Amino acid sequence: MTRKFSFYFVCTLLFVLPKALIAQFGYKNPILRGFNPDPSICRVNDDFYLVTSSFEYFPGLPIYHSKDLINWQQIGHCLTRESQLPLHKAFSSGGLFAPSLRYHKGKFYVICTNVSGGGNFYCTADNPAGPWSDPIWVDIKSIDPDIFWDDDGKTYFVTQGNEGIRITEIDIQTGKTLSPEHLVWGGTGGRFPEAPHVYKKDGYYYLLLGEGGTEYAHSATIGRSKYLFGPYENCPLNPILSHSNRLGQGNQIQGVGHADLIQAADSSWWAVFLGFRVTKPYSYYHILGRETFLAPVDWPKNGWPQVNGNGTINIDMQVPTLPLQPFEEPVSRTEFDEPKLGYEWQYLRNPVSANYSLTERKGFLRINASPFKLNELESVSFIGQRQTEHDFTAETSLEIVSTKEEEEAGLTLIQNNTHHYDLLLKRKGKRFAVQLRVVVGSLSYLAAEELIDEPTVRLQVVGKPLNYTFSYFNTKAGKFVELKKLDTRYLSTEVAGGFTGVMIGLYASANGQKTSSKAYFDYFDYRVSKP
């Protein structure tokens, strides 16, 4: 080896090795940002797949893929057809609750509950990206279901009841129950024992639960037994995950719980679970919804699992990781020039497909106005995506084709049908009005208005932890002009209630009128400040 070659070889090592070391140590939580609650995970060889709840949004149950547990990419949805997912008049935070994702003998299973119609079901697929089968219904009244296959070849339905966790044998081909329901464990005494998952390890059946409700007292607890139907012994370390204690009281992440465990190919154990980021430490408001977090798990042979050493986590996790395999960064701007929208876009309930077009005007999304208001539990003309960070800028440009003053179109920040901020354009006499409307419970009022001469406008929202700034582009001034700032807290879960997070949407409505009004959206841009 020549001196010149040695010099370049050493320099290359010095350049590459630190990157390799950094790439396998440390990551940031959450791993799925914005409204992505109730995560469930499975592994097939070196690939990880994960599903989260979607409630009243369509398509239902997003499916994600990862090679390293940290970097995730959405590959589809489980429920993409109205025959799979009836959401007619689904109430806010109704629809799909708490799915589980499992893999068994070459087939993927998603197990879930549609609380707005049908109850418990499971769907199957050979490929997690889909297509998925129509639901196979299970006649058990409950929520938060899972399926467990024991060594005896039988299939068991594991689910939540008011009194605790129940296990029932089912026919995996038909979903029919084959045994009575067995009440196996009531948890540690916390309220709402839910989200059950069964694992078999070292001759024990471990039963992992969420307890305390999915708010600030949420936690993950675990018990074990030599027998599937119990009795289950309470883990002396319980809760194995919680921020409702002194160690977690000042953490920006709160409400951690509803966990699922997974073992990687290198034998390391990990937990995925939900939590939420409050607007700042010691604040009691969260607007992004419940998100998906990750933590390492120490699970010694014949012992109990413990999450991240002391049962708490952080935004910055300084722990060894699997070798990182990131995906390409998604683009922030949607130009509406592709034949289909990306997986990040969601409808409210089952959409009326004729109300949307990407081909009527090339490079535009056309939305026909629905007679329904955003306040109604109907198939409103709306399509949106998750607010994923407190700091962001969202922008769109639209043209409204309208003859009546009741007709409107615009950009909305919506937590649910009774809590949303609408930045809109509508006809007003011979001119047009840019308006900012506030809907908070029974209170609805016009917060700001500016008249313009054209039926075309650019709208912008700038988000910060404590406020949203709403603006429109003033062509005479040649810049965005602020209409008003509004508090974020009135769109928080603590004020609005429910289980979802803020969605940023494009919509068109005739406010109760029959209409031929429509809106053409030229683009949608959503830029976030990197955490």
Side-chain angles (χ1 to χ4, degrees), residues 475-516:
T475 54
K476 293 180 181 178
K479 63 181 181 179
F480 280 99
V481 174
E482 178 181 326
L483 288 170
K484 198 174 185 64
K485 284 184 171 66
L486 296 174
D487 288 352
T488 59
R489 61 176 167 165
Y490 296 113
L491 298 188
S492 70
T493 298
E494 287 74 16
V495 173
F499 301 134
T500 60
V502 171
M503 299 284 279
I504 307 169
L506 311 176
Y507 80 100
S509 171
N511 291 305
Q513 306 294 312
K514 290 185 177 180
T515 181
S516 59

mmCIF file of all heavy atoms in Angstrom, residues 475-516:
data_model
loop_
_atom_site.group_PDB
_atom_site.id
_atom_site.type_symbol
_atom_site.label_atom_id
_atom_site.label_comp_id
_atom_site.label_asym_id
_atom_site.label_seq_id
_atom_site.Cartn_x
_atom_site.Cartn_y
_atom_site.Cartn_z
ATOM 1 N N THR A 475 -52.892 41.739 -3.856
ATOM 2 C CA THR A 475 -52.189 41.970 -5.131
ATOM 3 C C THR A 475 -51.691 43.406 -5.254
ATOM 4 O O THR A 475 -50.654 43.658 -5.879
ATOM 5 C CB THR A 475 -53.112 41.630 -6.306
ATOM 6 O OG1 THR A 475 -54.340 42.348 -6.174
ATOM 7 C CG2 THR A 475 -53.416 40.133 -6.334
ATOM 8 N N LYS A 476 -52.419 44.346 -4.662
ATOM 9 C CA LYS A 476 -51.966 45.736 -4.730
ATOM 10 C C LYS A 476 -50.717 45.953 -3.896
ATOM 11 O O LYS A 476 -49.793 46.668 -4.295
ATOM 12 C CB LYS A 476 -53.087 46.665 -4.276
ATOM 13 C CG LYS A 476 -54.282 46.692 -5.224
ATOM 14 C CD LYS A 476 -55.355 47.642 -4.721
ATOM 15 C CE LYS A 476 -56.553 47.652 -5.673
ATOM 16 N NZ LYS A 476 -57.642 48.548 -5.179
ATOM 17 N N ALA A 477 -50.680 45.326 -2.721
ATOM 18 C CA ALA A 477 -49.506 45.462 -1.852
ATOM 19 C C ALA A 477 -48.376 44.537 -2.285
ATOM 20 O O ALA A 477 -47.209 44.752 -1.920
ATOM 21 C CB ALA A 477 -49.891 45.163 -0.406
ATOM 22 N N GLY A 478 -48.707 43.490 -3.040
ATOM 23 C CA GLY A 478 -47.694 42.545 -3.508
ATOM 24 C C GLY A 478 -47.149 41.661 -2.407
ATOM 25 O O GLY A 478 -46.019 41.181 -2.498
ATOM 26 N N LYS A 479 -47.966 41.396 -1.380
ATOM 27 C CA LYS A 479 -47.504 40.554 -0.270
ATOM 28 C C LYS A 479 -48.715 39.994 0.482
ATOM 29 O O LYS A 479 -49.861 40.441 0.292
ATOM 30 C CB LYS A 479 -46.633 41.358 0.689
ATOM 31 C CG LYS A 479 -47.364 42.503 1.366
ATOM 32 C CD LYS A 479 -46.440 43.285 2.304
ATOM 33 C CE LYS A 479 -47.209 44.421 3.000
ATOM 34 N NZ LYS A 479 -46.325 45.171 3.929
ATOM 35 N N PHE A 480 -48.437 39.012 1.349
ATOM 36 C CA PHE A 480 -49.485 38.490 2.213
ATOM 37 C C PHE A 480 -49.791 39.519 3.310
ATOM 38 O O PHE A 480 -48.879 40.071 3.933
ATOM 39 C CB PHE A 480 -49.069 37.164 2.845
ATOM 40 C CG PHE A 480 -49.236 35.994 1.916
ATOM 41 C CD1 PHE A 480 -48.148 35.478 1.221
ATOM 42 C CD2 PHE A 480 -50.479 35.403 1.738
ATOM 43 C CE1 PHE A 480 -48.294 34.406 0.365
ATOM 44 C CE2 PHE A 480 -50.639 34.320 0.892
ATOM 45 C CZ PHE A 480 -49.549 33.817 0.194
ATOM 46 N N VAL A 481 -51.084 39.722 3.532
ATOM 47 C CA VAL A 481 -51.545 40.675 4.537
ATOM 48 C C VAL A 481 -52.294 39.911 5.626
ATOM 49 O O VAL A 481 -53.203 39.120 5.327
ATOM 50 C CB VAL A 481 -52.461 41.741 3.907
ATOM 51 C CG1 VAL A 481 -53.054 42.640 4.989
ATOM 52 C CG2 VAL A 481 -51.695 42.559 2.881
ATOM 53 N N GLU A 482 -51.922 40.150 6.850
ATOM 54 C CA GLU A 482 -52.533 39.433 7.967
ATOM 55 C C GLU A 482 -53.969 39.887 8.196
ATOM 56 O O GLU A 482 -54.263 41.087 8.250
ATOM 57 C CB GLU A 482 -51.715 39.654 9.233
ATOM 58 C CG GLU A 482 -52.296 38.973 10.469
ATOM 59 C CD GLU A 482 -51.470 39.221 11.719
ATOM 60 O OE1 GLU A 482 -50.227 39.317 11.622
ATOM 61 O OE2 GLU A 482 -52.082 39.335 12.811
ATOM 62 N N LEU A 483 -54.848 38.897 8.363
ATOM 63 C CA LEU A 483 -56.223 39.175 8.764
ATOM 64 C C LEU A 483 -56.367 39.153 10.281
ATOM 65 O O LEU A 483 -56.950 40.060 10.871
ATOM 66 C CB LEU A 483 -57.175 38.141 8.153
ATOM 67 C CG LEU A 483 -57.440 38.231 6.658
ATOM 68 C CD1 LEU A 483 -58.202 37.008 6.191
ATOM 69 C CD2 LEU A 483 -58.219 39.506 6.330
ATOM 70 N N LYS A 484 -55.827 38.083 10.906
ATOM 71 C CA LYS A 484 -55.967 37.958 12.360
ATOM 72 C C LYS A 484 -55.168 36.769 12.855
ATOM 73 O O LYS A 484 -54.922 35.813 12.105
ATOM 74 C CB LYS A 484 -57.433 37.770 12.740
ATOM 75 C CG LYS A 484 -57.761 38.048 14.214
ATOM 76 C CD LYS A 484 -59.237 37.972 14.452
ATOM 77 C CE LYS A 484 -59.601 38.362 15.889
ATOM 78 N NZ LYS A 484 -59.286 39.764 16.212
ATOM 79 N N LYS A 485 -54.800 36.843 14.125
ATOM 80 C CA LYS A 485 -54.223 35.700 14.832
ATOM 81 C C LYS A 485 -55.308 35.080 15.714
ATOM 82 O O LYS A 485 -56.105 35.790 16.332
ATOM 83 C CB LYS A 485 -53.038 36.122 15.707
ATOM 84 C CG LYS A 485 -51.745 36.405 14.970
ATOM 85 C CD LYS A 485 -50.628 36.719 15.957
ATOM 86 C CE LYS A 485 -49.263 36.792 15.281
ATOM 87 N NZ LYS A 485 -49.174 37.922 14.337
ATOM 88 N N LEU A 486 -55.309 33.739 15.781
ATOM 89 C CA LEU A 486 -56.245 33.020 16.645
ATOM 90 C C LEU A 486 -55.484 32.038 17.518
ATOM 91 O O LEU A 486 -54.492 31.456 17.075
ATOM 92 C CB LEU A 486 -57.288 32.271 15.812
ATOM 93 C CG LEU A 486 -58.229 33.126 14.965
ATOM 94 C CD1 LEU A 486 -59.098 32.225 14.092
ATOM 95 C CD2 LEU A 486 -59.095 34.024 15.832
ATOM 96 N N ASP A 487 -55.964 31.836 18.728
ATOM 97 C CA ASP A 487 -55.322 30.903 19.656
ATOM 98 C C ASP A 487 -55.450 29.469 19.158
ATOM 99 O O ASP A 487 -56.529 29.035 18.726
ATOM 100 C CB ASP A 487 -55.971 30.986 21.036
ATOM 101 C CG ASP A 487 -55.615 32.268 21.770
ATOM 102 O OD1 ASP A 487 -54.759 33.008 21.272
ATOM 103 O OD2 ASP A 487 -56.207 32.520 22.842
ATOM 104 N N THR A 488 -54.370 28.715 19.289
ATOM 105 C CA THR A 488 -54.426 27.294 18.928
ATOM 106 C C THR A 488 -55.238 26.483 19.930
ATOM 107 O O THR A 488 -55.816 25.457 19.585
ATOM 108 C CB THR A 488 -53.008 26.694 18.852
ATOM 109 O OG1 THR A 488 -52.358 26.848 20.125
ATOM 110 C CG2 THR A 488 -52.179 27.367 17.785
ATOM 111 N N ARG A 489 -55.313 26.928 21.172
ATOM 112 C CA ARG A 489 -55.909 26.101 22.228
ATOM 113 C C ARG A 489 -57.373 25.768 21.980
ATOM 114 O O ARG A 489 -57.869 24.754 22.468
ATOM 115 C CB ARG A 489 -55.750 26.758 23.599
ATOM 116 C CG ARG A 489 -56.421 28.097 23.743
ATOM 117 C CD ARG A 489 -56.283 28.619 25.158
ATOM 118 N NE ARG A 489 -56.661 30.021 25.240
ATOM 119 C CZ ARG A 489 -56.912 30.654 26.374
ATOM 120 N NH1 ARG A 489 -56.816 29.994 27.516
ATOM 121 N NH2 ARG A 489 -57.243 31.923 26.371
ATOM 122 N N TYR A 490 -58.084 26.616 21.207
ATOM 123 C CA TYR A 490 -59.500 26.329 20.961
ATOM 124 C C TYR A 490 -59.694 25.196 19.956
ATOM 125 O O TYR A 490 -60.812 24.715 19.775
ATOM 126 C CB TYR A 490 -60.224 27.593 20.510
ATOM 127 C CG TYR A 490 -60.218 28.650 21.589
ATOM 128 C CD1 TYR A 490 -59.508 29.834 21.426
ATOM 129 C CD2 TYR A 490 -60.886 28.440 22.791
ATOM 130 C CE1 TYR A 490 -59.473 30.788 22.436
ATOM 131 C CE2 TYR A 490 -60.859 29.385 23.809
ATOM 132 C CZ TYR A 490 -60.148 30.556 23.620
ATOM 133 O OH TYR A 490 -60.113 31.497 24.627
ATOM 134 N N LEU A 491 -58.606 24.764 19.332
ATOM 135 C CA LEU A 491 -58.641 23.563 18.490
ATOM 136 C C LEU A 491 -57.936 22.394 19.176
ATOM 137 O O LEU A 491 -57.688 21.369 18.552
ATOM 138 C CB LEU A 491 -57.984 23.830 17.130
ATOM 139 C CG LEU A 491 -58.625 24.897 16.249
ATOM 140 C CD1 LEU A 491 -57.982 24.889 14.863
ATOM 141 C CD2 LEU A 491 -60.131 24.732 16.140
ATOM 142 N N SER A 492 -57.622 22.556 20.447
ATOM 143 C CA SER A 492 -56.935 21.492 21.173
ATOM 144 C C SER A 492 -57.909 20.404 21.594
ATOM 145 O O SER A 492 -59.125 20.628 21.695
ATOM 146 C CB SER A 492 -56.228 22.046 22.411
ATOM 147 O OG SER A 492 -57.188 22.446 23.377
ATOM 148 N N THR A 493 -57.381 19.236 21.876
ATOM 149 C CA THR A 493 -58.210 18.137 22.362
ATOM 150 C C THR A 493 -58.831 18.477 23.714
ATOM 151 O O THR A 493 -59.967 18.085 24.003
ATOM 152 C CB THR A 493 -57.363 16.860 22.473
ATOM 153 O OG1 THR A 493 -56.890 16.516 21.168
ATOM 154 C CG2 THR A 493 -58.163 15.703 23.036
ATOM 155 N N GLU A 494 -58.111 19.234 24.537
ATOM 156 C CA GLU A 494 -58.625 19.591 25.861
ATOM 157 C C GLU A 494 -59.883 20.459 25.762
ATOM 158 O O GLU A 494 -60.742 20.422 26.642
ATOM 159 C CB GLU A 494 -57.547 20.314 26.672
ATOM 160 C CG GLU A 494 -56.431 19.415 27.155
ATOM 161 C CD GLU A 494 -55.458 18.995 26.060
ATOM 162 O OE1 GLU A 494 -55.453 19.631 24.969
ATOM 163 O OE2 GLU A 494 -54.700 18.040 26.276
ATOM 164 N N VAL A 495 -59.998 21.260 24.699
ATOM 165 C CA VAL A 495 -61.169 22.102 24.496
ATOM 166 C C VAL A 495 -62.209 21.400 23.629
ATOM 167 O O VAL A 495 -63.387 21.357 23.964
ATOM 168 C CB VAL A 495 -60.772 23.447 23.851
ATOM 169 C CG1 VAL A 495 -62.019 24.260 23.482
ATOM 170 C CG2 VAL A 495 -59.884 24.250 24.796
ATOM 171 N N ALA A 496 -61.760 20.822 22.513
ATOM 172 C CA ALA A 496 -62.688 20.252 21.528
ATOM 173 C C ALA A 496 -63.104 18.829 21.860
ATOM 174 O O ALA A 496 -64.135 18.352 21.382
ATOM 175 C CB ALA A 496 -62.038 20.285 20.140
ATOM 176 N N GLY A 497 -62.295 18.112 22.666
ATOM 177 C CA GLY A 497 -62.566 16.713 22.949
ATOM 178 C C GLY A 497 -62.166 15.828 21.780
ATOM 179 O O GLY A 497 -61.608 16.271 20.774
ATOM 180 N N GLY A 498 -62.430 14.532 21.924
ATOM 181 C CA GLY A 498 -62.189 13.601 20.823
ATOM 182 C C GLY A 498 -60.805 13.000 20.825
ATOM 183 O O GLY A 498 -59.981 13.238 21.713
ATOM 184 N N PHE A 499 -60.540 12.206 19.782
ATOM 185 C CA PHE A 499 -59.328 11.388 19.703
ATOM 186 C C PHE A 499 -58.446 11.723 18.501
ATOM 187 O O PHE A 499 -57.461 11.039 18.251
ATOM 188 C CB PHE A 499 -59.711 9.908 19.618
ATOM 189 C CG PHE A 499 -60.525 9.420 20.782
ATOM 190 C CD1 PHE A 499 -61.651 8.644 20.577
ATOM 191 C CD2 PHE A 499 -60.166 9.727 22.078
ATOM 192 C CE1 PHE A 499 -62.400 8.178 21.644
ATOM 193 C CE2 PHE A 499 -60.905 9.274 23.153
ATOM 194 C CZ PHE A 499 -62.031 8.498 22.938
ATOM 195 N N THR A 500 -58.809 12.736 17.715
ATOM 196 C CA THR A 500 -58.065 13.048 16.502
ATOM 197 C C THR A 500 -57.154 14.240 16.735
ATOM 198 O O THR A 500 -56.990 14.698 17.863
ATOM 199 C CB THR A 500 -59.042 13.319 15.343
ATOM 200 O OG1 THR A 500 -59.880 14.419 15.684
ATOM 201 C CG2 THR A 500 -59.900 12.091 15.067
ATOM 202 N N GLY A 501 -56.564 14.769 15.667
ATOM 203 C CA GLY A 501 -55.736 15.958 15.731
ATOM 204 C C GLY A 501 -56.180 16.940 14.663
ATOM 205 O O GLY A 501 -57.061 16.651 13.848
ATOM 206 N N VAL A 502 -55.579 18.109 14.646
ATOM 207 C CA VAL A 502 -55.938 19.124 13.656
ATOM 208 C C VAL A 502 -55.563 18.635 12.262
ATOM 209 O O VAL A 502 -54.449 18.158 12.039
ATOM 210 C CB VAL A 502 -55.253 20.463 13.964
ATOM 211 C CG1 VAL A 502 -55.441 21.454 12.819
ATOM 212 C CG2 VAL A 502 -55.795 21.058 15.266
ATOM 213 N N MET A 503 -56.519 18.758 11.343
ATOM 214 C CA MET A 503 -56.289 18.489 9.924
ATOM 215 C C MET A 503 -56.363 19.819 9.180
ATOM 216 O O MET A 503 -57.196 20.682 9.497
ATOM 217 C CB MET A 503 -57.330 17.520 9.378
ATOM 218 C CG MET A 503 -57.333 16.164 10.050
ATOM 219 S SD MET A 503 -55.967 15.098 9.537
ATOM 220 C CE MET A 503 -56.586 14.460 7.979
ATOM 221 N N ILE A 504 -55.499 19.984 8.176
ATOM 222 C CA ILE A 504 -55.488 21.187 7.339
ATOM 223 C C ILE A 504 -56.136 20.801 6.024
ATOM 224 O O ILE A 504 -55.616 19.940 5.297
ATOM 225 C CB ILE A 504 -54.057 21.691 7.113
ATOM 226 C CG1 ILE A 504 -53.351 21.870 8.460
ATOM 227 C CG2 ILE A 504 -54.064 22.989 6.331
ATOM 228 C CD1 ILE A 504 -51.856 22.108 8.330
ATOM 229 N N GLY A 505 -57.287 21.410 5.716
ATOM 230 C CA GLY A 505 -58.070 20.924 4.600
ATOM 231 C C GLY A 505 -58.478 21.983 3.600
ATOM 232 O O GLY A 505 -58.512 23.185 3.899
ATOM 233 N N LEU A 506 -58.810 21.511 2.402
ATOM 234 C CA LEU A 506 -59.400 22.314 1.346
ATOM 235 C C LEU A 506 -60.863 21.900 1.233
ATOM 236 O O LEU A 506 -61.174 20.710 1.254
ATOM 237 C CB LEU A 506 -58.672 22.074 0.022
ATOM 238 C CG LEU A 506 -57.142 22.164 0.065
ATOM 239 C CD1 LEU A 506 -56.540 21.806 -1.285
ATOM 240 C CD2 LEU A 506 -56.693 23.559 0.509
ATOM 241 N N TYR A 507 -61.766 22.862 1.084
ATOM 242 C CA TYR A 507 -63.177 22.508 1.106
ATOM 243 C C TYR A 507 -63.988 23.474 0.251
ATOM 244 O O TYR A 507 -63.527 24.569 -0.114
ATOM 245 C CB TYR A 507 -63.710 22.520 2.546
ATOM 246 C CG TYR A 507 -64.045 23.902 3.067
ATOM 247 C CD1 TYR A 507 -65.366 24.352 3.075
ATOM 248 C CD2 TYR A 507 -63.042 24.770 3.507
ATOM 249 C CE1 TYR A 507 -65.684 25.628 3.528
ATOM 250 C CE2 TYR A 507 -63.348 26.028 3.965
ATOM 251 C CZ TYR A 507 -64.671 26.462 3.975
ATOM 252 O OH TYR A 507 -64.975 27.728 4.412
ATOM 253 N N ALA A 508 -65.230 23.067 -0.040
ATOM 254 C CA ALA A 508 -66.193 23.927 -0.724
ATOM 255 C C ALA A 508 -67.577 23.582 -0.204
ATOM 256 O O ALA A 508 -67.926 22.405 -0.079
ATOM 257 C CB ALA A 508 -66.123 23.743 -2.235
ATOM 258 N N SER A 509 -68.373 24.600 0.102
ATOM 259 C CA SER A 509 -69.694 24.379 0.690
ATOM 260 C C SER A 509 -70.669 25.436 0.200
ATOM 261 O O SER A 509 -70.301 26.600 0.004
ATOM 262 C CB SER A 509 -69.615 24.439 2.219
ATOM 263 O OG SER A 509 -70.901 24.432 2.795
ATOM 264 N N ALA A 510 -71.932 24.998 0.022
ATOM 265 C CA ALA A 510 -73.004 25.932 -0.324
ATOM 266 C C ALA A 510 -73.879 26.244 0.877
ATOM 267 O O ALA A 510 -74.917 26.894 0.741
ATOM 268 C CB ALA A 510 -73.852 25.362 -1.455
ATOM 269 N N ASN A 511 -73.486 25.772 2.047
ATOM 270 C CA ASN A 511 -74.161 26.122 3.300
ATOM 271 C C ASN A 511 -75.666 25.888 3.255
ATOM 272 O O ASN A 511 -76.476 26.770 3.536
ATOM 273 C CB ASN A 511 -73.859 27.576 3.665
ATOM 274 C CG ASN A 511 -72.419 27.779 4.074
ATOM 275 O OD1 ASN A 511 -71.918 27.111 4.976
ATOM 276 N ND2 ASN A 511 -71.715 28.672 3.386
ATOM 277 N N GLY A 512 -76.027 24.666 2.882
ATOM 278 C CA GLY A 512 -77.423 24.278 2.905
ATOM 279 C C GLY A 512 -78.179 24.488 1.616
ATOM 280 O O GLY A 512 -79.345 24.098 1.507
ATOM 281 N N GLN A 513 -77.555 25.090 0.606
ATOM 282 C CA GLN A 513 -78.218 25.376 -0.657
ATOM 283 C C GLN A 513 -77.889 24.321 -1.713
ATOM 284 O O GLN A 513 -76.806 23.733 -1.713
ATOM 285 C CB GLN A 513 -77.773 26.749 -1.181
ATOM 286 C CG GLN A 513 -77.952 27.889 -0.199
ATOM 287 C CD GLN A 513 -79.404 28.156 0.109
ATOM 288 O OE1 GLN A 513 -80.237 28.261 -0.792
ATOM 289 N NE2 GLN A 513 -79.719 28.273 1.396
ATOM 290 N N LYS A 514 -78.852 24.088 -2.625
ATOM 291 C CA LYS A 514 -78.522 23.320 -3.828
ATOM 292 C C LYS A 514 -77.647 24.189 -4.704
ATOM 293 O O LYS A 514 -77.880 25.397 -4.828
ATOM 294 C CB LYS A 514 -79.798 22.923 -4.568
ATOM 295 C CG LYS A 514 -80.633 21.877 -3.842
ATOM 296 C CD LYS A 514 -81.818 21.433 -4.681
ATOM 297 C CE LYS A 514 -82.600 20.339 -3.968
ATOM 298 N NZ LYS A 514 -83.771 19.885 -4.769
ATOM 299 N N THR A 515 -76.647 23.599 -5.335
ATOM 300 C CA THR A 515 -75.632 24.444 -5.949
ATOM 301 C C THR A 515 -74.938 23.757 -7.111
ATOM 302 O O THR A 515 -74.900 22.527 -7.186
ATOM 303 C CB THR A 515 -74.566 24.833 -4.904
ATOM 304 O OG1 THR A 515 -73.588 25.675 -5.513
ATOM 305 C CG2 THR A 515 -73.871 23.602 -4.361
ATOM 306 N N SER A 516 -74.375 24.568 -7.982
ATOM 307 C CA SER A 516 -73.445 24.088 -9.007
ATOM 308 C C SER A 516 -72.095 24.764 -8.828
ATOM 309 O O SER A 516 -71.240 24.727 -9.701
ATOM 310 C CB SER A 516 -73.996 24.391 -10.410
ATOM 311 O OG SER A 516 -74.205 25.790 -10.566
#
